[in-house]
Amino acid sequence: MNNLENFSPASSDTGFTETIETVDVVGHFIQGGLVAKTTRKQAVYHPATGQVSKQVALADTALVNQVVELAQQAFPEWRDTPVIKRARVMFKFKQLLEENADKLCELIGQEHGKICHDAKGELQRGIENVEYACGAPEFLKGEFSKNVGPDIDSWSEFQPLGVVAGITPFNFPAMVPLWMFPMAIVCGNCFILKPSEKTPSAALYLAELLKQAGLPDGVFNVVNGDKEAVDALLHHPKVQAMSFVGSTPIAEYIYRTATSTGKRCQALGGAKNHAIIMPDADIDNVVNSLLGAAFGSSGERCMALSVAVAIGDEVADLVIEKLKLEMQQLKYGHYADEQNDFGPLITQAHKEKVEAFIQSAEQQGAKIVVDGRNAKPLGYETGFFVGPTLIDQVSSEMVSYQQEIFGPVLQVIRVATMQEAMQLINEHEYGNGTCIYTRDGEAARYFTSHVQVGMVGVNVPLPVPVAYHSFGGWKRSLFGDLYAYGPDGVRFYTRRKTITQRWPSAQIRECKQFAMPTLN
């Protein structure tokens, strides 16, 4: 099936005349059309089968530089477009996303392997960010104060930055880009998206829908590529800001490089999310929520719960017993089968990495209660699958505990007290998400006040903020001062300008004044 059949080629006056001629190559979306100008390509896999499904064109530095220049040319007109007209594009875009949801989810499933019901949830959370962006006429109104001094008025405006860029991960091909570019664009910026080269097609389809929604050419561009494209964006002087979501080592590299070149940057990194299970918790509810939070999307979520911290052996034994039984019922396989709970991992290399973490835990003394290695669902034996895995007797010294596994692996740590559990969380280098299962309001209040983590749930396993709040962690899970989307997204993609104005009377001559002006 031609997943790009509705894409139109770039107009001939952009300088990009080489268009896609085969569905086997995924290109870029530049100046309103799809182009495949490249000297390098990389394989894209269908994770459920393990087979190459297409190739993606990889942009070089010269191409990235051309795209930045085109975006810069589009900026003045878009910046001066009335905000209500920019918001109308977002309203239409939201409608098109809803009308084409099945197509987008199919693209996500083909390249990521995410089960269709999970892809629909991802897309819906992304659409909610578009809904929030539709409120731009309200949140960009600015502030005004009359008569701050004699005949002096003062006001603040929120102006766009210019050309901004985003680098997004493979695990949310639609949602994470939708965290970034709707807000950036509605605030008056031009945006260049560099999606993961492992899952490139959803971003291109989003670009086509934006074009259909009425967005002018050049305001939104998609450049597929690898580190060369990333570095080109980081070093280009006309790129004013960089947003990133991915692993912590890369996030730190992005942040340091971007800020060293004078760019504004928010770089969201990795996670090791703990769930404290108190003795008074509803264990059946705990088990049900842990199953989805640990194994949903094959654990390839930065908010996945990967560590259950049980308070006391009795709690741990009961949780493990019930988890072991329920995990036998979990199904994994092809994205199109709604009966499956989760799908494959993204690549063979990542599958081997996850299995190596399981092996290292076993070698360091942990107990493998449910082993997901050598998973081979019927009909998809060559896919990149790891089955649900449960590991007991984990300690904080183990490599599998210290690092982010990013797979369908749940580890259990046993401690005696809530204070010990919180110490584990607070001492870990990551601080993305966490939760506590309890019926005790006092314990929950203490936990939410003192845990050193950016997003906290109480009986909520995946405390991902809604679109009108903001998303981000603490410690080495976030580099930068502002979270993603929501109110922080508005602040990140705009800069404040404060104007103080006076129109003195023609009949009054001002006196010389050398002291700092005051109202005294």
Side-chain angles (χ1 to χ4, degrees), residues 195-213:
S196 169
E197 61 274 24
K198 298 180 179 68
T199 53
S201 295
L204 297 174
Y205 197 63
L206 292 173
E208 173 61 17
L209 295 182
L210 262 180
K211 181 178 175 68
Q212 293 179 24

Side-chain angles (χ1 to χ4, degrees), residues 351-369:
K351 166 180 157 63
E352 293 171 359
K353 181 179 179 180
V354 170
E355 291 175 339
F357 276 122
I358 299 171
Q359 181 178 355
S360 74
E362 188 173 30
Q363 291 173 340
Q364 291 186 292
K367 178 183 178 182
I368 311 300
V369 180

Side-chain angles (χ1 to χ4, degrees), residues 436-504:
I436 185 171
Y437 292 103
T438 184
R439 292 188 178 96
D440 187 335
E442 181 183 2
R445 190 170 190 273
Y446 181 86
F447 178 76
T448 57
S449 295
H450 294 88
V451 72
Q452 301 298 303
V453 174
M455 293 171 285
V456 183
V458 177
N459 301 315
V460 175
L462 298 174
V464 179
V466 294
Y468 42 91
H469 287 268
S470 295
F471 179 104
W474 288 11
K475 297 182 282 190
R476 289 178 56 78
S477 291
L478 173 68
F479 299 87
D481 297 325
L482 293 171
Y483 280 14
Y485 68 76
D488 272 18
V490 180
R491 297 183 184 98
F492 184 77
Y493 291 118
T494 61
R495 55 183 139 205
R496 179 188 295 266
K497 178 181 286 185
T498 303
I499 299 98
T500 304
Q501 176 176 276
R502 181 181 186 185
W503 295 102

Side-chain angles (χ1 to χ4, degrees), residues 376-417:
K376 297 184 183 297
L378 184 64
Y380 299 97
E381 291 83 1
T382 57
F384 308 138
F385 289 94
V386 172
T389 299
L390 180 62
I391 306 177
D392 190 15
Q393 304 293 344
V394 174
S395 67
S396 60
E397 295 78 21
M398 295 180 181
V399 173
S400 62
Y401 170 78
Q402 294 169 355
Q403 298 186 27
E404 183 178 34
I405 297 177
F406 221 61
V409 179
L410 177 61
Q411 297 180 292
V412 178
I413 291 184
R414 299 165 179 250
V415 297
T417 66

Side-chain angles (χ1 to χ4, degrees), residues 422-436:
M422 290 184 63
Q423 184 176 352
L424 277 173
I425 298 171
N426 291 342
E427 290 180 351
H428 203 284
E429 67 171 323
Y430 297 130
N432 209 47
T434 188
C435 78
I436 185 171

